Amino acid sequence: MIEIRYHDAEGFFMHDVRPVELREAEVRMIDQRQLPEKLVYVDAKDARETAEAIRAMVVRGAPAIALAGAFGFYLEASRHISESADKLEEVLVKAHALLLASRPTAVNLSFALTRMMNTFHTLALREVRVDEIVRGLRAEALALQAEDEVACRQIGEHLLTLYEEGMGVLTHCNTGGLATSRYGTALAGFYLAKERGMALRVYADETRPYLQGSRLTAWELQQAGVDVTVICDNMAAAVMAQGLARAVVVGADRIAANGDTANKIGTMGLAILARHFGIPFYVAAPVSTIDPRTPTGAEIPIETRPEDELTVIRGARIAPVGVAAYNPAFDVTPSDLITAIITEIGIYRAPYAFSH
Ligand SMILES: CSC[C@H]1O[C@H](OP(=O)(O)O)[C@H](O)[C@@H]1O
């Protein structure tokens, strides 16, 4: 991976860009580790570099890593365009495994890679030339991006039906343009409200330990002119108790068949608080985040990330060297605490029973 460009992040509007973009021979990603101070892009040229970018959270967010995975899969194919179909299949099986292993919880990545591999097999069975297979894979990857963009807008439209003028809404982590193809999922409602002149107040949990809320959500919404206030994660209860937030909306990384939802660590606590304070708790996600093959939240693999992501912040140590740190990246919210699951095809309410 190479850093290719830098400029001040001020005045940069996420509506106009994509966090992950397929170019001719590389996938270009905003390096989200360096926001909000620096806007830096990195390029990855093959499956290995793309998998590393996903693992290192250069690009993050369930839909965005799915697109990065699909782009990396295509790039790998394009580097073997002069080989036989059998050799290409051998290469793509390895690329699929490498990309899939980069982060285990978000099912969108698995869904996108399965789409790409199925596209390969469909074209290979027709015995088309390898260069035509590679072109077909590029088209499928870009189709995934276009589908996600439409889905995000539709999720935003459905979210708007749940909001009232002037209300405060609390959100967790980053589920905006940086986490998707564009617009976001949970944040899409705030962008659309802004476009339509509807005033909403957003309370963004900083979202320890990786700070996606204070670093990314606050940056995105501020650039878009949305009223956003950063709070520490431990302030959520007070914000609800004071009536400042009258709803909670979050994203998702995997929704099980019964509606149990894996999302950024800290989400389950918000759902429990929302139930206690009698406010709605919404999950916003494209249907590509729903995994009917996973029966309940107990079967969702939860990624554990490096301890120093918790004990060191921007190079400053905040815990003694050698102390143990437990750093699960996600938790699972039981479906009975979820008021509604908002997707691009509609709003689902409990009891949830998702099937193929
Ligand atoms: C649009 S959903 C994004 C989803 O992904 C985030 O996790 P991470 O930043 O570790 O990729 C978080 O769980 C968000 O809800």
Side-chain angles (χ1 to χ4, degrees):
M1 288 189 287
I2 54 168
E3 264 192 22
I4 46 116
R5 186 164 54 197
Y6 156 76
H7 61 76
D8 190 310
E10 288 305 311
F12 196 86
F13 188 35
M14 272 311 297
H15 258 295
D16 306 327
V17 291
R18 299 180 185 284
V20 53
E21 180 188 12
L22 179 58
R23 294 163 63 87
E24 192 51 43
E26 68 275 339
V27 54
R28 179 159 292 176
M29 296 163 278
I30 292 176
D31 186 349
Q32 299 188 35
R33 300 171 299 181
Q34 307 204 40
L35 286 171
E37 298 96 337
K38 292 202 294 182
L39 188 63
V40 175
Y41 293 82
V42 296
D43 281 355
K45 66 179 183 300
D46 56 22
R48 185 186 59 77
E49 289 189 356
T50 307
E52 175 52 25
I54 295 170
R55 187 204 58 77
M57 293 177 74
V58 167
V59 59
R60 35 69 43 204
I65 65 176
L67 293 175
F71 293 164
F73 187 96
Y74 157 72
L75 288 172
E76 194 66 32
S78 67
R79 297 169 66 83
H80 296 271
I81 198 165
S82 57
E83 315 249 7
S84 68
D86 287 346
K87 175 64 177 173
L88 182 58
E89 179 173 22
E90 182 186 316
V91 163
L92 292 180
V93 165
K94 290 176 182 169
H96 180 280
L98 189 64
L99 290 160
L100 188 62
S102 57
R103 293 192 74 191
T105 304
V107 72
N108 314 60
L109 177 59
S110 163
F111 170 80
L113 292 171
T114 299
R115 276 261 303 253
M116 296 299 286
M117 189 56 89
N118 289 347
T119 299
F120 166 77
H121 285 135
T122 301
L123 294 171
L125 282 173
R126 291 183 200 153
E127 298 186 354
V128 302
R129 295 198 320 270
V130 168
D131 62 322
E132 288 179 55
I133 293 176
V134 173
R135 275 197 294 277
L137 289 172
R138 182 180 181 90
E140 188 68 14
L142 293 173
L144 279 163
Q145 182 174 56
E147 288 167 23
D148 184 71
E149 190 168 324
V150 169
C152 287
R153 289 266 328 172
Q154 289 170 337
I155 289 169
E157 293 286 355
H158 290 138
L159 282 168
L160 274 192
T161 66
L162 304 170
Y163 298 151
E164 294 166 13
E165 178 72 26
M167 76 184 280
V169 184
L170 187 149
T171 192
H172 193 67
C173 198
N174 172 258
T175 58
L178 287 167
T180 62
S181 56
R182 188 181 281 180
Y183 304 124
T185 53
L187 298 195
F190 304 140
Y191 283 131
L192 275 183
K194 176 69 180 177
E195 280 180 21
R196 309 225 169 120
M198 180 186 197
L200 294 176
R201 282 174 294 107
V202 180
Y203 292 90
D205 271 356
E206 66 175 346
T207 313
R208 285 279 290 137
Y210 210 69
L211 306 176
Q212 290 93 330
S214 57
R215 291 192 304 110
L216 306 178
T217 290
W219 177 77
E220 276 200 48
L221 294 181
Q222 182 190 52
Q223 302 297 338
V226 174
D227 178 342
V228 57
T229 301
V230 174
I231 62 171
C232 293
D233 299 332
N234 56 13
M235 298 173 185
V239 165
M240 293 183 205
Q242 294 163 25
L244 297 175
R246 289 174 35 220
V248 178
V249 62
V250 299
D253 291 80
R254 188 182 306 220
I255 300 171
N258 74 341
D260 291 348
T261 295
N263 194 54
K264 184 53 50 196
I265 188 75
T267 301
M268 177 174 40
L270 291 176
I272 294 166
L273 288 172
R275 178 57 53 88
H276 174 78
F277 289 105
I279 65 174
F281 180 86
Y282 299 125
V283 170
V287 293
S288 57
T289 308
I290 297 173
D291 181 14
R293 298 161 308 173
T294 299
T296 72
E299 292 80 38
I300 299 177
I302 299 299
E303 175 188 11
T304 299
R305 293 199 57 92
E307 295 184 0
D308 65 5
E309 284 184 4
L310 195 157
T311 58
V312 179
I313 297 184
R314 299 294 170 100
R317 174 162 291 283
I318 60 167
V321 173
V323 72
Y326 175 49
N327 188 16
F330 303 98
D331 60 23
V332 176
T333 299
S335 59
D336 64 304
L337 293 178
I338 300 172
T339 310
I341 296 176
I342 294 89
T343 74
E344 66 273 33
I345 59 176
I347 297 176
Y348 295 90
R349 296 183 186 274
Y352 305 102
F354 298 111
S355 59
H356 286 285

